[in-house]
Amino acid sequence: MRGYEVLFPMGIDRNGLPVEVQVEKQYKIRMYETPRSEFLKLCKGLLDTYEREILDISRKLGFSMNSLDPKDVYRTDSPEYRSITQATFIELFKRGLIYEAERPNIWCPRCRTTLADAEVEYKEKATKLVYVIFKVKETGEDLVIATTRPELLVGCAAVIVNPGDERYKHLHNKTAVVPIYEKEVPIIPHPEARPEFGTGAVMICSYGDYTDVRLFRDLRLKPTQVINTDGRMEPVAGKYAGLKVEEARDKIISDLKEAGLIVKEEEIQHKIPICWRCKTPVEFIAMKEWYLKQLDFVDDIREIAKRIKFHPQENKQILDNWLDSITTDWPISRRRYYGTEIPIWYCKCNHHVILPEPGKYYQPWKDEPPVDKCPICGCTEFEGETRTFDTWMDSSISALYISGYLRDEELFEKAFPNGIRPQGKEIVRTWLYYTLLRVYQLTGKPAFKHVWISGLVVDEKGEKMSKSLGNIVYPEPIIKKYGADAFRLFGAGEAKLGSDIRFSEKRVEGAARFIQKLYNVARFISIFPEPDEREVRLTETDKWILAELNRLVKYTREYYDNFDFFAVNEIRRFVWEILADQYIEMVKARAHGSIGSEREINGARWTLHKILKTILKLLAPVTPFITDYIYRELYGKTVHLESFPEEEPFEEEYLQLTKLINDVNSQIWKAKRERGLSLKSKVKRIAIPKELKRFEMDLKAMHNAEQIDYIDSQETIEVEF
Ligand SMILES: [Zn+2]
Ligand SMILES: [Zn+2]
């Protein structure tokens, strides 16, 4: 409608954990116990089902992507898409931005894979804080340490106390003896120990949290692997070996109690890190993984982000906060199946990395290696990489993929950087951040000109919708009951751009009532022919409403230019309170031809059609179905290919009269109602402010008044029967 050539493709992000978790649940199988090809087939089947549902609901909601035809949508798991993901990996690998390292990583024992920081959520949970007695070797005194993770005692490598904490000054650099395991560890003064938490003395274990990970590195402590990849205790844990983490915790607490080594137990609310996909508490486990460098790029991304316009501007803060919190490179390898394979083979002799040529989709776990012998050592036996990428490795290049990157230079020239990225605020630290990072690494440019960050749709009380809370609202029944337009109109006008939207069926119903009103207004206007503009004389009443209309056009354009649809509330107010309640009532008689000259009659009819067409165009992006239906019925073509209305010059002074018109009309109607008369019934005389004299012909007819007198605006309006 604004004359732009728009590429707005529909994509389905299909890679990664969500479908795998769902397949495991639905078929009651474990991925690791299922042959890989079979598991992939089950994932694909489920994805196809979900995809059909997504496309179906998108169509019903009137999404305006270029095409919602299954043959036109792009999928992140298609061989073509995956080949591009792999090509970008090969390029960054060759440029030295990718490396392998063994480090403690966040690990989901249920999903059995490494997770990136961005894939971790935090949950408040009631946790036991136990106060455990350590012995000080040199002095024999008790040193009490509070911990929520006593099962990690075996991995304890140090005790820290705050250097300023008077209680422990005499213990600096002495030795603590870990209970049960009788292991000797140093007592180190370190500012990380908070005197107010527990007893102020803290045990550092491999690994309870990020602080542990950092202190092990900073203090050069030797880690012990305490928990295995299944979330069970390692043999080093002695009698607790093989137990699940929670079981081991309960058991060790009761053993410590029995030995008289617990002085106190407290229930505290503790923020625990969980896997964002399956909600299982995560562990920190040292694993060898592939990393993509990101620390070196944080400053660049901060600069790049300044060149992008955010809508609303304040939501940029979410990205800035995330950038400030990044402390490690991005682990990109995952020990899962349904993802893009890491395109690497290793020579069996020396584990040399062999990369294939970019351009094809590779599955090293089943494909032949791309070479006959290792180019470095001549080895002729190979092993294919079995791991896949973090799913954000795929979705972070969607901006490039849709622009034809590595596939269509002409399209890329036109479509990159993308005009706008619309997305939800809950994936700023993943989708948005990773896209900016990857696109910058590959092209040196910001991926977008604009970023539009919407809030979430939450329930009526403001709670996030989730399966476990049982407060999810499914769109289908709502659309069926009220129509997609009502649903969309509600969504557009319910909250300020970027804020959460509280779902309310009542408010959707209100939106549906407006659409009914719009339909009724259109039906009324459709009675009258649309006159030729040259046969028209506009009265003051027509000029007044056209001034209001132009003000509305200006207002709406300003909002829409900022990708903000909150302006629909103003359109609703105009249609209901100004057009229907006032103007239509005022010009009914003239439009029907009962008063005025032929040209003035045409004036009312022409204005009515002008308003209707304009309103339909303003609302077309928000309520595409009803506006198009009316437009086609009345004007014989689709509204969606019309030009968007532009503000025409108007005299501001008309706008001052709107409130007065409303007040005067309301008072006259009120006087009639109080006498039990219909609004059309005759009155002998009305006395109204002189500012309204210019509307005399229409007002006289509307109120059926024999005589109108004019008074000063501070005088009281009179109605004489
Ligand atoms: Zn998980
Ligand atoms: Zn080799």
Side-chain angles (χ1 to χ4, degrees):
M1 294 182 88
R2 295 288 290 270
Y4 292 101
E5 183 186 7
V6 181
L7 171 68
F8 186 10
M10 177 68 166
I12 311 279
D13 191 2
R14 305 185 12 142
N15 286 320
L17 274 176
V19 69
E20 295 180 327
V21 172
Q22 195 56 33
V23 161
E24 292 184 314
K25 265 193 208 156
Q26 192 151 327
Y27 297 101
K28 300 191 170 55
I29 53 172
R30 293 301 300 264
M31 189 185 86
Y32 289 94
E33 294 155 0
T34 314
R36 189 159 180 160
S37 312
E38 203 175 299
F39 191 81
L40 294 184
K41 218 177 277 169
L42 292 175
C43 290
K44 196 176 172 305
L46 208 55
L47 285 163
D48 289 344
T49 310
Y50 288 142
E51 182 185 292
R52 273 193 297 275
E53 283 175 29
I54 289 170
L55 292 178
D56 182 51
I57 199 85
S58 304
R59 221 171 283 122
K60 285 182 179 151
L61 276 166
F63 283 9
S64 59
M65 282 82 174
N66 298 101
S67 169
L68 292 172
D69 193 312
K71 75 174 180 0
D72 297 324
V73 306
Y74 74 91
R75 301 168 180 83
T76 57
D77 64 344
S78 71
E80 194 180 29
Y81 195 106
R82 284 181 168 173
S83 76
I84 302 291
T85 300
Q86 291 180 333
T88 63
F89 170 82
I90 293 165
E91 183 185 336
L92 296 181
F93 194 102
K94 287 180 177 162
R95 281 170 43 197
L97 296 185
I98 287 163
Y99 64 92
E100 197 175 30
E102 178 163 342
R103 305 188 168 149
N105 253 315
I106 302 170
W107 179 265
C108 174
R110 201 222 70 89
C111 300
R112 298 224 300 200
T113 189
T114 296
L115 299 175
D117 293 353
E119 294 171 303
V120 173
E121 278 177 7
Y122 289 85
K123 183 173 85 174
E124 284 275 340
K125 206 183 162 199
T127 313
K128 251 185 216 163
L129 182 67
V130 290
Y131 289 70
V132 184
I133 299 175
F134 285 50
K135 284 275 179 219
V136 178
K137 187 184 165 196
E138 288 83 353
T139 64
E141 69 190 278
D142 286 354
L143 175 61
V144 179
I145 291 175
T147 177
T148 57
R149 303 288 309 263
E151 76 279 12
L152 296 179
L153 277 175
V154 65
C156 179
V159 169
I160 59 167
V161 294
N162 194 287
D165 194 336
E166 294 295 334
R167 294 170 292 179
Y168 302 117
K169 275 212 163 135
H170 66 291
L171 296 181
H172 290 182
N173 305 316
K174 296 216 160 41
T175 311
V177 182
V178 180
I180 295 187
Y181 297 99
E182 302 301 325
K183 189 173 158 188
E184 297 183 4
V185 301
I187 302 170
I188 304 171
H190 197 282
E192 199 77 45
R194 290 181 296 136
E196 71 281 3
F197 181 79
T199 61
V202 183
M203 67 177 198
I204 304 303
C205 305
S206 51
Y207 295 103
D209 56 21
Y210 258 131
T211 311
D212 286 341
V213 172
R214 202 173 56 245
L215 288 176
F216 265 83
R217 197 173 53 217
D218 292 354
L219 302 171
R220 297 175 189 275
L221 302 171
K222 198 177 164 310
T224 310
Q225 178 139 343
V226 179
I227 296 163
N228 74 11
T229 51
D230 285 334
R232 290 178 184 275
M233 304 302 287
E234 290 277 21
V236 69
K239 63 187 284 202
Y240 310 104
L243 293 180
K244 284 191 166 176
V245 170
E246 289 83 14
E247 296 166 352
R249 187 176 308 154
D250 291 344
K251 186 90 184 38
I252 204 164
I253 289 176
S254 78
D255 288 351
L256 286 165
K257 263 192 208 158
E258 209 157 288
L261 292 170
I262 289 188
V263 295
K264 193 161 88 167
E265 260 181 82
E266 272 174 11
E267 183 114 313
I268 58 161
Q269 284 298 317
H270 200 55
K271 258 201 181 147
I272 57 162
I274 56 173
C275 167
W276 79 316
R277 289 306 190 189
C278 76
K279 313 298 174 194
T280 304
V282 297
E283 297 293 345
F284 291 82
I285 292 182
M287 298 289 274
K288 214 171 188 190
E289 300 290 2
W290 286 105
Y291 287 84
L292 175 60
K293 288 187 182 173
Q294 64 177 353
L295 283 173
D296 296 351
F297 293 90
V298 171
D299 288 337
D300 292 347
I301 302 303
R302 217 178 259 123
E303 284 308 306
I304 282 278
K306 286 182 193 156
R307 286 155 57 190
I308 297 172
K309 177 116 180 64
F310 282 74
H311 307 270
Q313 186 59 37
E314 62 262 29
N315 276 3
K316 176 170 180 285
Q317 197 58 45
I318 307 172
L319 177 69
D320 290 338
N321 292 347
W322 178 245
L323 289 171
D324 290 343
S325 74
I326 293 170
T327 54
T328 55
D329 282 334
W330 176 14
I332 53 170
S333 43
R334 295 288 179 273
R335 290 154 205 275
R336 301 292 305 182
Y337 290 168
Y338 206 86
T340 301
E341 288 85 351
I342 298 176
I344 293 179
W345 281 262
Y346 305 93
C347 83
K348 276 192 178 168
C349 313
N350 291 301
H351 205 71
H352 290 130
V353 167
I354 290 145
L355 289 174
E357 283 302 311
K360 275 193 355 212
Y361 169 44
Y362 299 100
Q363 297 182 285
W365 56 277
K366 65 172 196 188
D367 290 352
E368 286 299 313
V371 291
D372 298 331
K373 57 178 194 186
C374 173
I376 301 163
C377 69
C379 186
T380 53
E381 285 198 67
F382 303 93
E383 207 174 353
E385 173 63 84
T386 56
R387 285 171 292 177
T388 57
F389 287 123
D390 177 351
T391 171
W392 297 107
M393 276 291 279
D394 297 284
S395 32
S396 59
I397 58 154
S398 62
L400 294 174
Y401 184 82
I402 60 171
S403 313
Y405 183 66
L406 301 182
R407 292 163 18 256
D408 183 342
E409 260 174 60
E410 204 181 313
L411 174 64
F412 192 69
E413 195 62 38
K414 281 166 88 174
F416 183 83
N418 292 175
I420 182 167
R421 153 66 64 83
Q423 66 159 71
K425 70 177 180 194
E426 81 283 14
I427 48 176
V428 167
R429 62 182 195 172
T430 47
W431 199 30
L432 179 59
Y433 164 67
Y434 286 139
T435 302
L436 294 176
L437 174 72
R438 298 258 283 130
V439 170
Y440 177 72
Q441 288 175 337
L442 291 160
T443 69
K445 289 184 181 148
F448 319 103
K449 294 176 187 144
H450 296 266
V451 170
W452 186 87
I453 301 174
S454 70
L456 298 173
V457 181
V458 294
D459 77 3
E460 219 145 340
K461 293 180 213 116
E463 297 267 1
K464 196 172 160 182
M465 293 189 190
S466 79
K467 265 211 180 110
S468 55
L469 284 174
N471 61 351
I472 291 181
V473 176
Y474 291 93
E476 201 104 47
I478 301 291
I479 297 171
K480 225 172 172 181
K481 200 163 164 193
Y482 302 103
D485 279 345
F487 197 52
R488 294 172 59 113
L489 183 61
F490 159 78
E494 195 57 20
K496 195 164 123 274
L497 175 62
S499 303
D500 287 350
I501 295 173
R502 291 185 183 216
F503 182 78
S504 153
E505 191 171 338
K506 256 213 168 77
R507 312 265 304 158
V508 177
E509 203 187 330
R513 267 201 307 275
F514 170 77
I515 285 162
Q516 182 64 48
K517 182 78 180 179
L518 180 68
Y519 178 76
N520 292 343
V521 165
R523 209 172 43 180
F524 170 75
I525 294 172
S526 74
I527 303 168
F528 309 110
E530 190 185 4
D532 189 318
E533 200 172 348
R534 287 163 304 184
E535 309 290 318
V536 162
R537 195 183 93 80
L538 297 178
T539 68
E540 286 293 297
T541 317
D542 305 327
K543 287 180 189 163
W544 158 69
I545 190 81
L546 289 171
E548 277 290 349
L549 182 72
N550 279 306
R551 187 197 63 83
L552 180 70
V553 168
K554 182 172 176 235
Y555 179 93
T556 306
R557 283 183 78 102
E558 278 167 14
Y559 268 82
Y560 286 10
D561 278 347
N562 194 29
F563 306 104
D564 190 344
F565 297 92
F566 203 60
V568 293
N569 294 308
E570 199 57 21
I571 302 176
R572 281 172 77 163
R573 199 181 69 82
F574 173 87
V575 170
W576 206 295
E577 294 173 18
I578 302 178
L579 175 62
D581 286 357
Q582 307 297 331
Y583 179 74
I584 285 181
E585 292 303 324
M586 282 164 84
V587 301
K588 237 179 210 170
R590 182 154 52 94
H592 278 296
S594 330
I595 56 165
S597 69
E598 198 170 319
R599 290 179 86 87
E600 285 166 342
I601 292 167
N602 282 343
R605 292 174 177 179
W606 182 86
T607 305
L608 285 168
H609 281 284
K610 168 87 176 172
I611 295 169
L612 180 61
K613 282 198 260 187
T614 305
I615 292 297
L616 292 176
K617 288 174 200 164
L618 294 181
L619 280 175
V622 180
T623 55
F625 295 108
I626 185 72
T627 51
D628 197 49
Y629 172 78
I630 296 171
Y631 210 87
R632 282 173 193 271
E633 286 288 306
L634 267 55
Y635 308 112
K637 49 186 168 175
T638 177
V639 70
H640 298 299
L641 293 176
E642 294 288 74
S643 288
F644 199 76
E646 280 187 62
E647 171 203 347
E648 290 159 15
F650 62 93
E651 286 169 48
E652 292 271 341
E653 61 163 321
Y654 284 107
L655 305 180
Q656 319 297 325
L657 296 169
T658 305
K659 189 175 178 306
L660 192 61
I661 292 171
N662 182 50
D663 288 351
V664 168
N665 287 339
S666 302
Q667 285 192 50
I668 297 168
W669 287 326
K670 187 164 164 259
K672 287 185 177 179
R673 264 198 305 269
E674 278 168 1
R675 295 184 158 237
L677 298 171
S678 90
L679 300 186
K680 283 181 199 136
S681 56
K682 213 184 245 312
V683 293
K684 206 176 268 164
R685 186 185 78 95
I686 54 177
I688 60 174
K690 59 179 186 295
E691 290 84 349
L692 300 186
K693 185 160 188 348
R694 57 172 84 188
F695 306 123
E696 183 162 76
M697 172 171 59
D698 291 324
L699 286 176
K700 205 166 172 218
M702 168 167 70
H703 294 302
N704 202 356
E706 276 172 40
Q707 186 192 332
I708 300 187
D709 292 335
Y710 293 98
I711 52 178
D712 281 338
S713 52
Q714 60 270 27
E715 289 178 77
T716 320
I717 293 163
E718 289 170 46
V719 185
E720 204 178 296
F721 292 91

